[in-house]
Amino acid sequence: VSIREVAKKSGVSIATVSRVLNNYPDVSDETRRRVLEAAREIDYTPTQAARTLVTKRSWVIGVILFTGLDHPDIQHPFFQEVLAGLKHGVGAAGYDLLLFANEADSDGAGRQSYLTRTRHHHLDGVAVMGVSARDPMVRELARSPVACVAVDIDLVGPRTGYVMSDNVGGAARAVRHLFELGHQRIALIGGPTETRPGADRLLGYRKELDTLDLEYSPAYVQIGDFYPQSGEDAMRALLALPEPPTAVFAASDLMAVGAVGAAREHGLSVPEDLAVVGFDDVQIAALGQPPLTTIRQDKVALGLRAAESLVEMIDDPKATPPALTVPVELVVRESCGSRVRVLQRGDARG
Amino acid sequence: VSIREVAKKSGVSIATVSRVLNNYPDVSDETRRRVLEAAREIDYTPTQAARTLVTKRSWVIGVILFTGLDHPDIQHPFFQEVLAGLKHGVGAAGYDLLLFANEADSDGAGRQSYLTRTRHHHLDGVAVMGVSARDPMVRELARSPVACVAVDIDLVGPRTGYVMSDNVGGAARAVRHLFELGHQRIALIGGPTETRPGADRLLGYRKELDTLDLEYSPAYVQIGDFYPQSGEDAMRALLALPEPPTAVFAASDLMAVGAVGAAREHGLSVPEDLAVVGFDDVQIAALGQPPLTTIRQDKVALGLRAAESLVEMIDDPKATPPALTVPVELVVRESCGSRVRVLQRGDARG
DNA sequence: TTGTAAGCGTTATCAG
DNA sequence: CTGATAACGCTTACAA
C-alpha cells in the first residue's frame, strides 16, 4: 500500500507516481514536483521485491567465494581486495552484492546449486572466485544464460568470461629479476597446477628460464597451495637438495613468507644467503621482515574490471564476455638483496 | 507462471504446491510425493521476490562495513574473519548476506540511509561493523525496529545490541604479561578513544597499571588508528622520550608491527631491547618476524555470536538484544622475549 | 485434504 | 500528459 500513499497524498494515480519515480519524461513538471515532495514527506521507499517481480531485475549481483571456516578464501588477502574493487564497481552502477553462503542448510539438506540460487534471488549477474573451473556447479552456471565473470579462473561460456592478472608475464618478470641479480639456480615454489594462476606462473617460470638459457630442473619445482605452511615445506625440500637453489620465486607472498621462515630456520638469512620473490603483493609483503620483493597484482583493478564487465553484459544481453588480462608490476623491496628500494604509495599501510 | 507449471504437471492446485513446498503437514503423502517429483523434474525454484512480497521476509541479512578504497575495513583482517563467522552463522540458518555498497550512486545522488536501504531490500536484519556509533545513519538504524547487532561497537536500541571482545580484560592481561616478564616502563599505543575498543583497551591498560602499582604516565600513551603507519609514528614518539619504555602494548597487531619496524629502524631489536605485545591475533601476527605475542580475539566467534543473536531476534520479535562479551586469550610467541612458545592450532597457516 | 481467490507493491499496457 | 487495470509469482484465509 505504499506507492498508493504517495499517490493519494499527491492526488495522482499510482501509475503516475511510478512514472515519476522511474524518471519517465512524459510527466508535467508540476506533477513531478508534487509527487516527489509527497514521497519525501512520507519517507517513501520503493520495495525492491515488487520491482523485481515485474521487471525481472534485482539490482543484486552474487559473489561466489569459498568460505569454509578452515581455509576461507574470504580470509585470503587477495580475495579481500578483489572484493573491495568489485563492490566499488558494482556499487557505482547501483548494484548491491550478495555473498553466497556455502554452508549446509540447517535442515541438513545440502545447499542448492549456484544457478538455482541465482534464479531464486533473481540475481542480475554473478562474480566467481576461488573455486575450480571444473566444479560441476560452476560449469552449470557458466553454461547458463546468466551474466557471469570469473576472477583468475578461465571460465568461459555464452555469457561467461573472466579477468585475470598477467600471470605468465609476472612469473617471467620475477625470474628475470633474479637472473639480473646474478642468480642462476632459481627454484620455483608453485601453486596447484590445476588452477590457472598456478599453471600460468609455472609456465612463465619455464619460459623465462628458456629465454635466459638456464637449465630447467624438475627438482627445483615444488608445488604448494598458496598458503604459508606449504611454502615452508617446499623450501625445506629445496634446501635438502644436494645443490640447493640460491634464489626462489614463490607463486604467492604467503608461500614466500613460509619459505623465508624455513630458510631462516635452516640458518640461512634472506637476502644474504637466499633471494626470494613472491607474487601478489598483499599487505604482509610490505610489512614482513625482510620486506618482500614481489610481483604486484592490481587486485582492486581486477575487481573493478570484473564489475564493469558484469554491468556491461547485464545492460547488453549480446555483449561479448570479457577475457581480460590485467598487467602486473615488479615491486622491489629487500628480499633479493637489491639495494634499490621502490617506495610505493600505500606501502606499509593499512 | 512457475509454481503453476508444477501444479499443472502434478495435477493439483498451486495452493497445494505451495503447501508442499513449505512443508505444511496437511497434505497427503501421495500428493506430496507427486508435487515434489514434478518440481524436481522441471527443476523448479521458488522466486524469493514473490515470497518476500507476501511474507515480508527476505531471508537476507545486511552487512554494513566501511569499504572506501582508501582504508577499507573489508581489507582489515579482523573484519574479514568476523565476516566469515557471520556468514557461517547466518548461512546455517538459511540466510544470505547482502553487502551494503557505500559508494555514491552513478547518478550522483548520494546513497540512501541504511534504514531506507534495509527497507528497500526488506532485509530481515543487519550486522554493523567498522562504523561509528555516533554516525547519524547508524543511530537511525539502531532506533528503528529492525533487528540489528553491532560488532565491537556499543550500539543499543529497542531491537539492536552488540557483541564485542573483552577488551578491558585483554589489555589488562597484556600489561600483566609484560609486568611478569619484569617490565616496569610499559607504554601503550592505543586506538582512537572514540571507538569502544580503543577506549576499553586504554581503560584496561590503566586499570592494570593501577593494580600492579605502576605509575601511569601520559607520555607513555600514544594514540594511533589501528593501522601500521600510526604504530610506527607512535613508537618513534615513545623512543624520543628521555626515558623510553622497555615494553609496549599496542592495541592492534598492525600497529604492533609498525612499532617493531620503528624500533628496528632505531637500532633496537625485539624482543631483546624492547618487548611488544599486540592485540587481535590476525594472520600477520604469527607470520611476522618476530612472531608476535598478542591478545587473541576470537573473531570467528564474534561473527557467529552476532549471527545467532540476529537469528534469534528475527525469530522472536520480543527477544532481548544481545550485549555479549567474548573472551580473549593471551598467545605467547616471541616478541616479548619469553622462552615459552605456545603453539596454537592453525598458527602460521592460511 | 484440497481448491478458489484475494492480495503483496510495483511496472507496463492501453485508453483517454 | 494521466488514469485504469492487468500482470509478476507466491502465500494464505476461507470454503468445500
Side-chain angles (χ1 to χ4, degrees), chain A residues 91-272:
Chain A
Y95 293 86
D96 278 311
L97 244 32
L98 184 85
L99 246 45
F100 270 173
N102 270 345
E103 307 70 32
D105 269 323
S106 54
D107 50 274
R111 272 298 194 176
Q112 305 192 272
S113 84
Y114 296 131
L115 180 57
T116 299
R117 296 169 65 197
T118 297
R119 292 192 319 214
H120 176 73
H121 285 291
H122 254 304
L123 299 182
D124 295 331
V126 8
V128 182
M129 33 197 205
V131 298
S132 163
R134 266 154 296 286
D135 178 329
M137 287 190 186
V138 172
R139 297 181 59 89
E140 175 193 38
L141 189 63
R143 271 196 309 266
S144 82
V146 352
C148 180
V149 8
V151 176
D152 254 6
I153 308 171
D154 50 344
L155 254 198
V156 291
R159 299 261 289 151
T160 301
Y162 60 84
V163 303
M164 58 174 82
S165 283
D166 179 9
N167 291 306
V168 177
R173 185 73 193 82
V175 171
R176 183 147 43 86
H177 179 64
L178 258 7
F179 177 79
E180 285 166 355
L181 255 25
H183 294 278
Q184 305 262 111
R185 302 211 304 275
I186 303 173
L188 168 73
I189 298 181
T193 49
E194 66 274 18
T195 67
R196 177 68 183 265
D200 279 359
R201 290 171 203 172
L202 168 59
L203 185 62
Y205 165 81
R206 296 198 57 165
K207 239 172 143 168
E208 189 63 17
L209 244 39
D210 218 61
T211 306
L212 262 22
D213 238 7
L214 293 178
E215 189 192 357
Y216 166 74
S217 155
Y220 273 9
V221 174
Q222 295 288 330
I223 301 298
D225 65 1
F226 290 127
Y227 286 87
Q229 183 63 53
S230 71
E232 214 174 308
D233 298 342
M235 193 69 235
R236 286 208 193 89
L238 291 171
L239 258 18
L241 255 28
E243 192 171 52
T246 63
V248 173
F249 162 50
S252 80
D253 287 342
L254 258 22
M255 291 196 296
V257 168
V260 170
R264 185 173 283 138
E265 187 183 74
H266 200 261
L268 301 180
S269 87
V270 177
E272 290 75 10

Side-chain angles (χ1 to χ4, degrees), chain B residues 20-270:
Chain B
V20 171
L21 263 24
N22 290 285
N23 277 311
Y24 278 53
D26 55 348
V27 180
S28 79
D29 287 357
E30 169 57 13
T31 304
R32 183 181 305 275
R33 200 191 51 67
R34 286 219 319 278
V35 170
L36 253 20
E37 179 173 331
R40 200 177 35 69
E41 269 179 21
I42 64 178
D43 192 24
Y44 165 75
T45 314
T47 298
Q48 184 57 51
R51 284 188 163 170
T52 297
L53 200 54
V54 23
T55 62
K56 273 89 173 64
R57 301 261 269 122
S58 64
W59 291 94
V60 174
I61 285 175
V63 182
I64 295 176
L65 198 58
F66 173 67
T67 49
L69 239 28
D70 35 329
H71 241 188
D73 284 336
I74 206 178
Q75 278 183 228
H76 190 117
F78 171 78
F79 292 108
Q80 228 176 126
E81 291 191 48
V82 174
L83 189 57
L86 191 64
K87 187 148 149 3
H88 263 257
V90 303
Y95 294 86
D96 277 311
L97 244 33
L98 185 84
L99 247 45
F100 271 172
N102 271 345
E103 306 69 32
D105 270 323
S106 54
D107 49 273
R111 271 299 192 173
Q112 305 192 271
S113 85
Y114 295 131
L115 180 56
T116 299
R117 297 169 64 198
T118 297
R119 291 191 319 212
H120 177 72
H121 285 291
H122 255 304
L123 300 181
D124 296 332
V126 8
V128 182
M129 32 195 204
V131 298
S132 163
R134 266 154 294 286
D135 178 328
M137 288 191 186
V138 172
R139 297 182 59 89
E140 176 193 38
L141 190 63
R143 270 197 308 269
S144 83
V146 352
C148 179
V149 8
V151 177
D152 254 5
I153 307 172
D154 50 344
L155 252 199
V156 290
R159 298 262 287 152
T160 109
Y162 60 86
V163 301
M164 59 173 80
S165 284
D166 180 8
N167 291 307
V168 177
R173 185 74 193 82
V175 171
R176 185 147 44 86
H177 180 64
L178 259 7
F179 177 79
E180 285 166 356
L181 255 27
H183 295 278
Q184 305 262 111
R185 302 211 305 274
I186 304 172
L188 168 73
I189 297 180
T193 49
E194 65 274 16
T195 68
R196 177 69 182 261
D200 279 358
R201 290 171 203 172
L202 168 59
L203 185 62
Y205 165 81
R206 295 200 57 166
K207 241 172 142 169
E208 190 62 17
L209 244 38
D210 218 60
T211 305
L212 262 22
D213 237 7
L214 293 178
E215 190 192 355
Y216 166 74
S217 155
Y220 274 9
V221 174
Q222 296 287 330
I223 301 299
D225 65 1
F226 291 127
Y227 286 86
Q229 184 63 53
S230 70
E232 214 174 309
D233 298 342
M235 192 69 235
R236 285 207 194 89
L238 291 171
L239 258 19
L241 255 27
E243 190 171 53
T246 62
V248 174
F249 162 50
S252 81
D253 288 341
L254 258 23
M255 292 196 296
V257 168
V260 169
R264 185 174 280 134
E265 188 183 75
H266 201 262
L268 301 180
S269 87
V270 176

